[in-house]
Amino acid sequence: MATEVEACRNLLEQRNALAEQAMKAEIALVRTIRERICPVLSQQADRANANDRNELTIDYQALLVCRHKAEEQLLRSQRVHYVNRQRFRFYTAAGAELARQADGLDQELRDRRCSQLR
């Protein structure tokens, strides 16, 4: 039983790592578009993220509007390569492939009845 739990834990860690890499690819894509649409606001957000003390004041509403614009532009200009189990759309080929692999491991976790770790 301990080996089954360890196998499930390993699968879960692999799935989480793949899912994280897949999301990073998509976040980078949206960030690139956001930087094009709202360069000054994007720089402010980057500086605030780099500053642990968050001394910079950011117009979060404007940043949110900018992000929505970036996502709308992405929807209009890029094809969706994959939609994962959580219905998240992947526009990059690399992110889509990683997400597919993560979903495959997620299915394997279900097949092995590894629900105790989820």
Side-chain angles (χ1 to χ4, degrees), residues 83-97:
V83 178
N84 74 356
R85 294 183 179 277
Q86 290 80 29
R87 299 192 188 343
F88 187 87
R89 291 182 287 256
F90 290 85
Y91 296 95
T92 65
E97 179 56 33

Side-chain angles (χ1 to χ4, degrees), residues 43-102:
Q43 289 173 357
Q44 289 173 348
D46 289 344
R47 283 195 306 267
N49 283 336
N51 185 351
D52 291 338
R53 293 173 287 177
N54 286 325
E55 294 173 3
L56 298 174
T57 302
I58 295 178
D59 182 348
Y60 286 103
Q61 185 59 40
L63 186 61
L64 184 61
V65 168
C66 182
R67 178 166 177 100
H68 285 302
K69 286 180 183 178
E71 290 171 349
E72 288 170 5
Q73 183 176 342
L74 188 59
L75 281 169
R76 288 190 310 269
S77 65
Q78 300 276 331
R79 79 176 181 95
V80 175
H81 288 276
Y82 183 69
V83 178
N84 74 356
R85 294 183 179 277
Q86 290 80 29
R87 299 192 188 343
F88 187 87
R89 291 182 287 256
F90 290 85
Y91 296 95
T92 65
E97 179 56 33
L98 292 164
R100 277 188 195 92
Q101 291 175 31

Side-chain angles (χ1 to χ4, degrees), residues 96-113:
E97 179 56 33
L98 292 164
R100 277 188 195 92
Q101 291 175 31
D103 279 353
L105 291 177
D106 198 46
Q107 182 62 49
E108 191 172 340
L109 284 163
R110 278 196 294 284
D111 292 347
R112 288 182 177 218
R113 293 183 171 79

Side-chain angles (χ1 to χ4, degrees), residues 1 13-15 17-18 20 39 43-44 57 91 93 117:
M1 178 129 167
E13 288 174 6
Q14 289 174 19
R15 189 221 37 209
L18 288 168
E20 181 179 333
Q43 289 173 357
Q44 289 173 348
T57 302
Y91 296 95
L117 298 176

Side-chain angles (χ1 to χ4, degrees), residues 1-16 105-106 108-110 112-118:
M1 178 129 167
T3 57
E4 290 175 21
V5 170
E6 186 62 28
C8 286
R9 184 167 293 133
N10 288 337
L11 278 174
L12 182 63
E13 288 174 6
Q14 289 174 19
R15 189 221 37 209
N16 290 346
L105 291 177
D106 198 46
E108 191 172 340
L109 284 163
R110 278 196 294 284
R112 288 182 177 218
R113 293 183 171 79
C114 294
S115 60
Q116 73 274 12
L117 298 176
R118 301 175 119 216

Side-chain angles (χ1 to χ4, degrees), residues 30-39 42 45-46 63 66 70:
V30 172
R31 181 178 182 210
T32 300
I33 294 170
R34 185 192 76 197
E35 288 172 346
R36 230 179 296 140
I37 295 171
C38 313
S42 291
D46 289 344
L63 186 61
C66 182

